[in-house]
Amino acid sequence: MKYSTTILFIILIVFVPLSSIIIPDSDSSKILNSNLVADPFNANVDGDDKSFANLFSNFDNYVEDQIILHEQIFKFKYQLDYITGKKNTTPYYYIPELNISYQYDKYDGQTSDDLMSVDQVCKENEVDFMLYVAPSKRNSIPDKYIKEDYLQYPKEVRQKLIEDKLAEFECVSTVFNPDVLLLNDYYPYEHHYNSKGVYKVYVDLINEYNNLYNTNIEVVDLNELEEITVSNTNYVNPLFVDDVEDFTTEFIVEGKDSGRNTSPYDRISYPREGEFTNESGTDDVLIITDSYGQAMNSYLTENFHYIKSLNFYDIASDANIIDKELSDHDYDRVIVYIYDINLLIGSH
Amino acid sequence: MLFNSVTFLFYFFPIFLIFYFSTRGIYRNLVLLLFSIFFYMWGDVSYVLLFVFSMVISFIGGLLIDKFKDSKYHFWILMFFISIHAIMFFKLKYLSFVVTALNSIVNSNVSVQDTILPIGISFYTFQIISYLIDVYNNKTKVQHNFIIYGSYISMFSQLIAGPIIRYEEIEDDLINNKFNLERFNKGVHLFVQGLFLKVVLADSFSFVITEIQKVNPNDQYVTLLWLMVILYTLQIFLDFNGYSKMARGLGNMMGYEFAMNFNFPYSATSVSDFWRRWHMTLTRWFKDYVYIPLGGSRGSYLKTFRNILVVWLFTGIWHGAGYTFIIWGLWNFIWIYAEKEMKFLQRLPKIVGNIYTILVVMIGWVFFMSPDISYSIDVISGLFLGNGTGFYTPWALGFVKQYKFELLIALMYSYNLFGGIEAKLYDRSMSIVVELTHIFMLFISVIYIVTQTASPFLYFNF
């Protein structure tokens, strides 16, 4: 027993590299790895840079992908995270050529079920339900959808998934533009430090709203909004440095009215949930979206008479919240905006 | 290349072990030297020539210092070779900072090309200087074989992050290295412990800290600021201690015995006690090569004050070229000097002393972790005076809940509540529980390594 850790250690450091050479990849691994660095000695990470540093970097990537039972290890780690309560942690494979992230199954289809409930409640209260689906920068796909038939048509995989799912919402006024969904760079700046992406979503949403309900709402001119300059980027996550030019001329998107303020991001470019009124608007809407979608609130408040903004997670935590809202206020429409397909297809 | 990377663990290290243990004598040293240079290249190709140059020049320096030990130039030869390394170290680590500081003081516009700090330069430069001084003082024999000397300076196990080892400590093992099963076994256990501390605990906290840091401290909730500082306090210990343990473990596997670098510093009951337990090889280096040569505490009141101040200023700037590190050094100086003058601070009841120490150390880490002084002030004022954002947010509890197991283990480990597992490694009747625990730690660590891109080691930049 005394040397058992040492024996295991030796077996591990000898067996793992040998096995990755000897044991062939599984079919699914082949599919997943086919787009990763195939040959570390010929592939370049940074353009034409064939330096030693690049070679070493490629080798690191290569060996990480060649580890035996790679997929099983990821699944195990995911289960471990789930058991220990890290519900927001998700392991990803990024598959560059498909421009999607491969994400292991999450644990419920809560949002999908919630949407069906919202649909039902709206019908009972005779309120229009508009489901607006738009693409996003985040393209993760749960593993149950990563099948060869999808991988054969990688560019259509997200569209296909959404179309399949939307078929379940036949009676809902669903706004879904499959063409823009395929444009991976359509909303490239969506993160909590920049709301430009969501402005584009907002413009599309208002246009679709006008089409659906024969209204004539004018979109807010972006130039009329107050512009702020962020002089100190020291505290910006390096992840966003690439977008720094857009970051430095960001637009204030905080809600005009005070609401719940539970997020640590609230003070950056994060909107607040809450109620907003504007006498010049006509329609009263209940909007349900997530944190990114709430960035639209400051634009929407310019267009609607009354807005109540809820987060998806409010619905998840209180099944009766929609019912209560519709009883308390006479809404014209309920708008659900989804940009992350995982919210729709049930991985979140 | 980090010890917690797939490349190191499953490719570099096993291949190294095969070559290392299939050779003997000087060839074993040669294998160690070549693999170490390759290891260095992997992390920093651009400075490998500088690194080799440092080894060669200090090797020659040692020979000349020894050869002219009876000469009147003996001291100046030592100074010459120390100066070469000190100048290289200064140029690469501090020149840009000093010039920028002078520019702002005298309102000039002198420009200096920014350089990337060579990996491990702070550690190997200190080892080189200690070797040269020890040869000068006849505390160690000069090494006439470059392969043996080179394998001491470049030894990959402690090259990039210490511990700072003295030549005399491992001289016998360098010259007459033998495979020692007991030592190898202990090394594996130490390595596994270190791996677990680094990849499972420290890196987990790093995620939360990064999330909290995304928001300007003036706009952050007080509870999240406290959580950030507490987690950073744990992270820097687990990260650095974990890496030091891995280094010692690798050293053991190769047949060497490195000095301990940490002795449960967070269970200290005074700041002085903390520094006897934290980064012990660096503290020892400053004591032996700066504090004592300056006269230690044997001189006048003013001289002692000066000596302690110099040591802590150097300790601060050793960690980085920035005002925050200087303030961090001064912060430690203030408390250590206060404890020297007000003895009661070192004789507080254990619990009170520990709380006082942890608070002082935590505030020190705020300076250490901050990009600039204004950030430090914002964090500290937020911690103690609050800000307009508010005190509590459910996110704080959410983070704690997500990492409850890691936090619990980290706190228990930091306070040495696991009953000195390390001490049991020396016990021939190592218990089954310890073995099974280490197997579990190895298993979990490998899972984390494979599923995470290796997180940079915090002390990498020092």
Side-chain angles (χ1 to χ4, degrees):
Chain A
M1 195 67 201
K2 184 180 175 185
Y3 297 108
S4 51
T5 307
T6 299
I7 292 165
L8 186 74
F9 179 79
I10 298 289
I11 290 171
L12 202 65
I13 63 172
V14 173
F15 175 73
V16 169
L18 280 180
S19 61
S20 65
I21 297 166
I22 296 165
I23 301 172
D25 290 343
S26 67
D27 287 345
S28 60
S29 295
K30 272 181 188 167
I31 292 166
L32 290 169
N33 290 332
S34 62
N35 295 294
L36 299 172
V37 180
D39 181 356
F41 301 100
N42 288 316
N44 290 321
V45 170
D46 301 317
D48 294 328
D49 181 8
K50 293 193 175 183
S51 64
F52 276 114
N54 204 35
L55 172 70
F56 295 155
S57 171
N58 281 334
F59 186 82
D60 283 336
N61 292 336
Y62 175 75
V63 296
E64 279 168 20
D65 294 329
Q66 295 301 314
I67 289 287
I68 187 173
L69 303 176
H70 197 217
E71 198 175 338
Q72 284 72 18
I73 291 172
F74 263 80
K75 281 185 175 171
F76 182 83
K77 173 66 166 48
Y78 169 69
Q79 293 296 336
L80 194 68
D81 283 348
Y82 179 58
I83 291 165
T84 55
K86 294 178 194 60
K87 294 181 181 177
N88 294 327
T89 309
T90 313
Y92 292 102
Y93 274 128
Y94 180 65
I95 310 177
E97 287 187 11
L98 308 188
N99 196 30
I100 59 172
S101 293
Y102 170 54
Q103 179 189 33
Y104 287 105
D105 268 354
K106 283 203 157 186
Y107 32 87
D108 59 36
Q110 186 65 48
T111 307
S112 182
D113 296 343
D114 291 338
L115 286 174
M116 298 301 268
S117 310
V118 174
D119 181 27
Q120 191 61 36
V121 174
C122 287
K123 276 185 193 133
E124 287 167 7
N125 288 274
E126 297 179 341
V127 176
D128 291 333
F129 175 24
M130 174 182 173
L131 175 63
Y132 180 64
V133 184
S136 84
K137 192 177 182 181
R138 298 200 303 175
N139 302 319
S140 52
I141 306 274
D143 69 342
K144 65 183 173 188
Y145 296 107
I146 298 286
K147 292 177 181 149
E148 289 201 31
D149 54 339
Y150 281 133
L151 288 171
Q152 285 168 15
Y153 308 100
K155 287 190 175 176
E156 285 77 30
V157 63
R158 295 163 64 235
Q159 180 186 344
K160 175 90 176 116
L161 286 169
I162 291 177
E163 280 173 352
D164 287 353
K165 200 67 191 177
L166 289 181
E168 297 170 21
F169 296 92
E170 280 175 15
C171 50
V172 178
S173 301
T174 303
V175 183
F176 165 58
N177 186 341
D179 296 329
V180 290
L181 200 62
L182 296 179
L183 298 174
N184 293 317
D185 57 352
Y186 192 67
Y187 301 131
Y189 304 117
E190 277 186 354
H191 49 67
H192 288 225
Y193 298 86
N194 193 314
S195 58
K196 278 190 172 175
V198 87
Y199 177 76
K200 293 182 181 180
V201 180
Y202 155 74
V203 173
D204 284 354
L205 186 134
I206 292 297
N207 289 335
E208 295 294 344
Y209 189 94
N210 284 334
N211 287 339
L212 276 171
Y213 304 116
N214 293 320
T215 51
N216 193 24
I217 298 172
E218 285 186 21
V219 296
V220 175
D221 185 353
L222 195 62
N223 295 324
E224 288 176 8
L225 294 174
E226 189 180 352
E227 212 171 286
I228 58 166
T229 301
V230 180
S231 57
N232 189 345
T233 55
N234 281 348
Y235 313 136
V236 181
N237 188 315
L239 184 68
F240 304 132
V241 167
D242 289 344
D243 293 339
V244 76
E245 197 176 328
D246 300 280
F247 173 81
T248 52
T249 53
E250 193 170 315
F251 300 95
I252 293 174
V253 291
E254 287 190 30
K256 290 181 176 175
D257 200 356
S258 61
R260 286 200 306 138
N261 188 10
T262 56
S263 157
Y265 305 106
D266 281 355
R267 310 290 287 204
I268 308 177
S269 64
Y270 216 78
R272 293 172 184 166
E273 298 172 49
E275 298 175 56
F276 310 94
T277 53
N278 179 3
E279 293 305 322
S280 61
T282 53
D283 291 358
D284 288 11
V285 294
L286 175 66
I287 182 157
I288 302 163
T289 181
D290 75 342
S291 57
Y292 287 83
Q294 283 174 350
M296 282 193 291
N297 283 351
S298 53
Y299 312 130
L300 293 172
T301 52
E302 299 290 326
N303 296 129
F304 293 105
H305 175 254
Y306 177 84
I307 288 185
K308 178 74 180 278
S309 178
L310 294 178
N311 194 295
F312 275 124
Y313 304 106
D314 293 326
I315 312 174
S317 60
D318 182 358
N320 299 318
I321 194 165
I322 305 288
D323 210 6
K324 185 173 175 301
E325 277 300 329
L326 297 185
S327 322
D328 289 352
H329 191 93
D330 190 15
Y331 287 100
D332 295 297
R333 264 119 218 160
V334 173
I335 302 173
V336 173
Y337 161 60
I338 290 175
Y339 76 96
D340 184 346
I341 58 168
N342 288 308
L343 289 169
L344 183 67
I345 59 183
S347 75
H348 275 259
Chain B
M1 198 187 311
L2 296 168
F3 299 156
N4 55 307
S5 66
V6 170
T7 306
F8 177 84
L9 200 55
F10 297 121
Y11 292 87
F12 177 88
F13 192 55
I15 294 169
F16 163 77
L17 282 183
I18 291 167
F19 278 92
Y20 189 72
F21 286 122
S22 58
T23 51
R24 281 183 168 194
I26 195 71
Y27 296 106
R28 187 173 283 186
N29 293 96
L30 183 62
V31 167
L32 179 55
L33 174 63
L34 294 177
F35 270 81
S36 296
I37 291 173
F38 182 71
F39 176 89
Y40 192 86
M41 271 177 69
W42 198 278
D44 201 343
V45 174
S46 53
Y47 282 117
V48 72
L49 287 178
L50 179 81
F51 175 56
V52 173
F53 172 77
S54 295
M55 279 195 289
V56 172
I57 209 76
S58 58
F59 173 69
I60 295 168
L63 293 177
L64 291 177
I65 289 165
D66 183 63
K67 187 176 172 63
F68 292 97
K69 62 184 167 191
D70 299 323
S71 159
K72 61 179 177 180
Y73 300 113
H74 191 208
F75 175 74
W76 295 109
I77 294 170
L78 170 72
M79 291 319 311
F80 174 73
F81 283 101
I82 287 181
S83 299
I84 291 174
H85 294 283
I87 289 168
M88 283 195 294
F89 186 48
F90 175 82
K91 183 190 178 298
L92 290 165
K93 189 161 180 171
Y94 302 110
L95 184 62
S96 176
F97 168 70
V98 171
V99 169
T100 309
L102 288 175
N103 277 340
S104 64
I105 293 167
V106 298
N107 205 17
S108 60
N109 195 23
V110 179
S111 63
V112 182
Q113 193 182 355
D114 276 340
T115 48
I116 300 167
L117 188 66
I119 292 173
I121 189 168
S122 306
F123 291 94
Y124 72 71
T125 301
F126 270 39
Q127 285 203 171
I128 285 171
I129 291 173
S130 77
Y131 168 76
L132 295 175
I133 294 174
D134 286 353
V135 170
Y136 173 83
N137 287 330
N138 278 328
K139 281 179 75 177
T140 190
K141 281 182 256 171
V142 70
Q143 177 51 254
H144 292 270
N145 188 314
F146 177 74
I147 293 171
I148 294 175
Y149 176 74
S151 59
Y152 155 64
I153 295 295
S154 68
M155 196 179 293
F156 67 83
S157 52
Q158 38 71 261
L159 174 62
I160 55 172
I164 300 166
I165 304 300
R166 287 183 191 167
Y167 176 74
E168 62 177 343
E169 290 173 340
I170 58 169
E171 184 182 17
D172 290 343
D173 291 328
L174 277 166
I175 294 168
N176 190 23
N177 191 281
K178 285 177 185 165
F179 176 76
N180 181 326
L181 183 60
E182 290 300 317
R183 203 177 260 187
F184 190 94
N185 189 41
K186 192 185 109 190
V188 170
H189 283 81
L190 270 177
F191 185 83
V192 170
Q193 278 186 22
L195 197 64
F196 184 84
L197 295 178
K198 161 72 183 149
V199 301
V200 179
L201 300 183
D203 290 352
S204 297
F205 299 151
S206 147
F207 168 76
V208 181
I209 293 164
T210 307
E211 285 296 302
I212 298 173
Q213 280 179 327
K214 284 176 183 171
V215 177
N216 186 315
N218 279 327
D219 297 331
Q220 189 57 280
Y221 293 90
V222 174
T223 40
L224 282 180
L225 287 178
W226 273 104
L227 185 64
M228 176 179 78
V229 176
I230 291 167
L231 288 183
Y232 186 81
T233 301
L234 288 170
Q235 187 207 1
I236 193 166
F237 168 59
L238 297 165
D239 192 89
F240 192 18
N241 184 26
Y243 219 83
S244 291
K245 270 181 184 283
M246 283 192 270
R248 289 176 59 215
L250 292 170
N252 282 163
M253 286 185 245
M254 292 189 278
Y256 296 93
E257 189 68 59
F258 296 158
M260 257 175 89
N261 226 8
F262 292 89
N263 185 23
F264 301 102
Y266 291 150
S267 57
T269 53
S270 68
V271 180
S272 311
D273 186 23
F274 173 85
W275 280 103
R276 283 191 289 271
R277 296 159 174 264
W278 179 278
H279 205 172
M280 292 150 73
T281 55
L282 180 72
T283 312
R284 182 183 69 173
W285 195 97
F286 276 115
K287 182 185 161 203
D288 291 350
Y289 299 108
V290 179
Y291 184 66
I292 291 174
L294 283 173
S297 58
R298 273 179 271 169
S300 65
Y301 176 86
L302 271 177
K303 270 193 175 177
T304 305
F305 179 89
R306 179 204 66 185
N307 297 344
I308 298 174
L309 178 64
V310 167
V311 164
W312 285 101
L313 271 177
F314 279 171
T315 304
I317 59 171
W318 180 87
H319 284 86
Y323 293 113
T324 51
F325 292 108
I326 294 172
I327 291 178
W328 176 73
L330 290 174
W331 173 258
N332 283 293
F333 160 75
I334 289 166
W335 291 99
I336 284 176
Y337 198 76
E339 286 177 4
K340 192 174 173 60
E341 293 301 309
M342 296 181 279
K343 297 284 184 198
F344 75 91
L345 282 172
Q346 293 195 57
R347 294 184 199 127
L348 294 168
K350 273 190 177 178
I351 294 176
V352 178
N354 182 251
I355 292 170
Y356 140 73
T357 306
I358 294 296
L359 267 175
V360 169
V361 168
M362 278 198 333
I363 295 166
W365 291 142
V366 173
F367 292 109
F368 198 87
M369 73 189 289
S370 298
D372 52 50
I373 295 170
S374 67
Y375 186 96
S376 317
I377 293 167
D378 289 345
V379 172
I380 292 169
S381 67
L383 289 173
F384 293 100
L385 305 173
N387 53 37
T389 306
F391 181 78
Y392 177 72
T393 168
W395 280 73
L397 190 60
F399 282 136
V400 172
K401 277 183 179 172
Q402 279 203 35
Y403 291 92
K404 53 187 174 291
F405 295 112
E406 288 87 346
L407 265 170
L408 187 67
I409 296 169
L411 284 169
M412 288 177 73
Y413 176 78
S414 299
Y415 279 95
N416 195 16
L417 296 181
F418 289 113
I421 288 175
E422 190 171 338
K424 289 181 181 163
L425 298 180
Y426 298 90
D427 186 353
R428 290 184 68 83
S429 57
M430 194 183 293
S431 75
I432 293 172
V433 176
V434 172
E435 282 290 335
L436 290 177
T437 305
H438 281 108
I439 289 171
F440 174 77
M441 287 161 76
L442 175 61
F443 178 67
I444 294 293
S445 301
V446 169
I447 300 287
Y448 272 68
I449 288 171
V450 173
T451 55
Q452 286 174 354
T453 306
S455 167
F457 172 53
L458 277 186
Y459 256 67
F460 225 50
N461 293 326
F462 304 130

